[in-house]
Amino acid sequence: MDYSNNEVPNFYSELWKKSKILSQTKADFLERVGLNESYFKNKKILDAGCGWGKNTLTLASMLGAKITAIDLCDLSNVKEYTKQYKDRITYINADLRKLPFKNNEFDFVICEGVIHHMDEFLSAFNELRR
């Protein structure tokens, strides 16, 4: 799949419509990222390539973070899935290779299941790092 021509975003948008296995426990998330719960309280987080919002929901609902959720695909699914926490979430259509943010704007960045689909992954890494 080629991330640049929307095959991947469209694939995941369709997958979301068919699957309702959309949750994770707080403990699973914390173990995966290697941080404790207190780290996330009132932090500014970027969920880069948010997809249908599994990490967005965990961060907003269970960890009290303020999230910017970005993706190339239509964000209506993630907005619907996380609507209960919309006051903590900003949704933006954006390309990981050209992020519309200042340097050091976020306290934490999560980008899960995205970069391995990209031809220009070094551009994405450099953008996420800044």
Side-chain angles (χ1 to χ4, degrees), residues 69-107:
I70 67 166
D71 210 304
L72 274 180
C73 67
D74 176 30
L75 294 171
S76 59
N77 291 328
V78 69
K79 287 178 181 179
E80 177 63 26
Y81 184 56
T82 60
K83 67 184 174 189
Q84 187 175 0
Y85 303 97
K86 66 182 178 189
D87 60 320
R88 298 185 136 306
I89 305 167
T90 301
Y91 307 92
I92 300 173
N93 278 109
D95 185 330
L96 294 184
R97 298 165 294 186
K98 299 173 201 147
L99 294 174
F101 309 112
K102 297 180 218 167
N103 290 346
N104 300 310
E105 189 163 335
F106 298 96
D107 299 304

Side-chain angles (χ1 to χ4, degrees), residues 17 22-23 43:
K17 293 173 188 173
L22 302 177
S23 61
K43 294 285 171 101

Side-chain angles (χ1 to χ4, degrees), residues 108-126:
F108 182 83
V109 174
I110 188 162
C111 181
E112 184 174 31
V114 178
I115 292 178
H116 64 279
H117 293 289
M118 301 177 74
D119 291 335
E120 299 175 35
F121 62 89
L122 287 177
S123 299
F125 274 123
N126 287 331

